[in-house]
Amino acid sequence: MKPRNPLYALLFTVLIDMIGVGIIIPILAPIFLGIEGALFLPDTTVAFKTIVLGILLATYPFAQFFGAPYLGTLSDIYGRKKFLLLSLAGTVFGYLLFGVGILTHSLTLLFVSRIIDGFTGGNISIALSAIADISTPENKTKNFGLIGASFGVGFIIGPWLGGQLADPRTVSWFNDATPLWVAAGLALINMLLLARNFQETLQKKKSILQSPSFSFFQGFANIKQAFLLISLRRLFLVSMFYTLGFNFFTQFFQVFLVTKFNFSHAEIGNFFGVIGLWIVIAQGALIRPLSQRFPPRSLLRIVMPLFAISTLAYLIPDRAILLFFIVPFFSSFNGFILPNLNTLISNAAHPEEQGKILGINQSLQALAMTIPPLVAGVAFTVNQNLPIILCALLVIVGWLVLLTVPKPTTTLA
């Protein structure tokens, strides 16, 4: 019997995972900012609510900062499959607990659920490690682009579905918790399909003795190591600044949509679905011909400043419909960045250390994802445009660091 191609199982894993992630996007800002919500007392200020929302959003990546290095290193030792399944199990439980927290109006349960989901939430980095296991230097960018396209398809379906599932006008008994039950179910289906269809990709496993620094605080060690790896530290900085900037946008743009344009659950879902559609177009149809013509570093030098400019363009419209004319440019430029950046980092890593290096990168990204919601929650109280401005500025800083990266010795990088 011909063995199944692990690539397809990984693509489907990312697709289902991102549908689950996208489902909850439309509900967070309305839950925290809506006057009908019961999470806060009626006289609670919007400023306080946005700050608490920022802290909640930061909880997931902060927990991931500790958990992802465990999963990345253990996947180098014991294989990718076991820890993809473990990560998904944490996701199922986290979604269920979040849904209960919504129904019981318990901020405590909301925070605990994000901690659990975050600590076990390293499945994307493990999926990227598995992609690196089965890729050649020639097709690595294309394969990372396919992962990005699956990410985008999930991001189309997820927010749209979440907006519909949270809206009682769709079905009378739907409420804010309904998307969480569906997200948990999708993650469980993902687990079952992965257990059945995914074949281990790691051919040469490391001994645990080869990982003497492996500990609960490995995330901090990873941050230190990131800046000790001469061949990678500038690329890690680019990744960190890009992640910092992009998360100022993603974590608080839904709040911007609610406060400036009074978007509903469904309208938030529809908007993020359109963003995902254009990411799919960029990563599924455009990145392959572009990657054949331009090496990753050259393409990044072009698209990063264009992405920053397109982000600032969201500040111009005074009518919601005009936002949709910006989306194709914003999403396409963004869609080119991550696959090419992951390719540069992966190409600079030894084949036996893909999990470790991508785990270090995820530690940086988790730390970079933790800071924006904390800062944005306060920045938003100063000016609702400030998180978007900070996004553009930080991406530009990452681009300036990229310009200092020495030209690679291979044309594939």
Side-chain angles (χ1 to χ4, degrees):
M1 177 184 255
K2 186 177 179 180
R4 296 184 180 94
N5 188 341
L7 177 63
Y8 301 119
L10 292 168
L11 293 176
F12 191 73
T13 294
V14 173
L15 171 65
I16 298 298
D17 191 55
M18 287 314 303
I19 290 174
V21 170
I23 273 178
I24 69 171
I25 286 176
I27 68 173
L28 289 177
I31 285 173
F32 273 76
L33 303 179
I35 58 174
E36 74 282 358
L39 286 174
F40 302 96
L41 295 174
D43 59 347
T44 305
T45 65
V46 172
F48 182 80
K49 291 177 182 179
T50 57
I51 290 171
V52 175
L53 175 58
I55 296 171
L56 178 66
L57 291 171
T59 301
Y60 177 92
F62 183 70
Q64 191 177 60
F65 175 76
F66 291 95
Y70 263 125
L71 295 174
T73 303
L74 287 173
S75 76
D76 283 340
I77 299 170
Y78 299 108
R80 314 298 186 202
K81 184 172 184 176
K82 294 176 183 176
F83 292 94
L84 278 171
L85 293 173
L86 175 64
S87 175
L88 289 169
T91 297
V92 172
F93 186 62
Y95 283 144
L96 292 174
L97 201 60
F98 200 92
V100 173
I102 289 175
L103 291 180
T104 59
H105 312 300
S106 172
L107 273 173
T108 300
L109 286 182
L110 297 185
F111 275 93
V112 171
S113 71
R114 300 312 286 159
I115 291 171
I116 293 172
D117 195 9
F119 190 81
T120 58
N123 48 337
I124 296 298
S125 68
I126 298 175
L128 291 174
S129 298
I131 287 290
D133 293 338
I134 63 174
S135 298
T136 64
E138 291 79 10
N139 68 13
K140 189 177 290 184
T141 299
K142 182 192 77 172
N143 287 345
F144 280 153
L146 290 173
I147 285 286
S150 294
F151 185 103
V153 171
F155 215 65
I156 296 170
I157 300 171
W160 175 84
L161 188 59
Q164 300 302 314
L165 291 171
D167 191 344
R169 292 175 297 181
T170 306
V171 175
S172 61
W173 51 267
F174 281 1
N175 57 48
D176 287 331
T178 309
L180 278 302
W181 312 140
V182 175
L186 289 173
L188 181 60
I189 292 171
N190 200 352
M191 278 187 69
L192 297 175
L193 292 175
L194 193 72
R196 180 178 181 273
N197 297 322
F198 181 71
Q199 295 185 335
E200 181 58 56
T201 61
L202 186 64
Q203 301 301 315
K204 187 176 180 181
K205 300 175 182 178
K206 294 173 64 178
S207 165
I208 195 167
L209 298 177
Q210 295 175 277
S211 303
S213 61
F214 183 52
S215 73
F216 180 77
F217 298 102
Q218 184 64 29
F220 293 106
N222 280 355
I223 299 298
K224 179 181 178 181
Q225 190 171 6
F227 295 101
L228 293 177
L229 295 170
I230 297 175
S231 62
L232 280 162
R233 61 186 173 193
R234 292 185 187 180
L235 289 175
F236 283 144
L237 275 174
V238 176
S239 178
M240 184 180 72
F241 280 117
Y242 163 73
T243 304
L244 276 169
F246 187 53
N247 277 274
F248 269 103
F249 176 87
T250 57
Q251 303 281 24
F252 258 75
F253 197 67
Q254 56 177 310
V255 181
F256 177 83
L257 293 174
V258 169
T259 55
K260 185 172 182 178
F261 297 105
N262 198 30
F263 269 39
S264 66
H265 297 80
E267 288 169 333
I268 295 171
N270 292 340
F271 185 81
F272 276 89
V274 175
I275 288 178
L277 173 62
W278 281 98
I279 290 176
V280 169
I281 292 172
Q283 295 187 331
L286 301 179
I287 198 169
R288 183 173 183 178
L290 284 173
S291 66
Q292 292 174 341
R293 184 171 181 180
F294 300 101
R297 179 175 174 271
S298 298
L299 193 57
L300 285 170
R301 293 178 70 177
I302 298 170
V303 299
M304 287 185 73
L306 293 175
F307 172 70
I309 293 169
S310 65
T311 302
L312 291 174
Y314 281 120
L315 301 178
I316 299 173
D318 57 1
R319 290 187 295 157
I321 189 65
L322 299 177
L323 296 172
F324 289 90
F325 291 94
I326 301 169
V327 169
F329 303 98
F330 169 85
S331 298
S332 296
F333 297 143
N334 176 60
F336 296 142
I337 292 174
L338 206 54
N340 284 283
L341 192 52
N342 284 333
T343 298
L344 284 180
I345 293 171
S346 178
N347 284 346
H350 192 277
E352 294 178 17
E353 294 192 326
Q354 291 292 319
K356 174 185 174 182
I357 296 302
L358 291 170
I360 290 174
N361 188 46
Q362 187 164 4
S363 290
L364 282 168
Q365 290 179 341
L367 184 62
M369 289 170 65
T370 302
I371 297 171
L374 295 174
V375 177
V378 177
F380 194 87
T381 65
V382 177
N383 187 295
Q384 65 181 5
N385 296 332
L386 195 51
I388 297 174
I389 295 171
L390 289 171
C391 167
L393 288 176
L394 287 163
V395 171
I396 288 296
V397 172
W399 173 67
L400 292 174
V401 174
L402 178 69
L403 296 181
T404 71
V405 175
K407 188 175 181 179
T409 55
T410 171
T411 58
L412 295 171

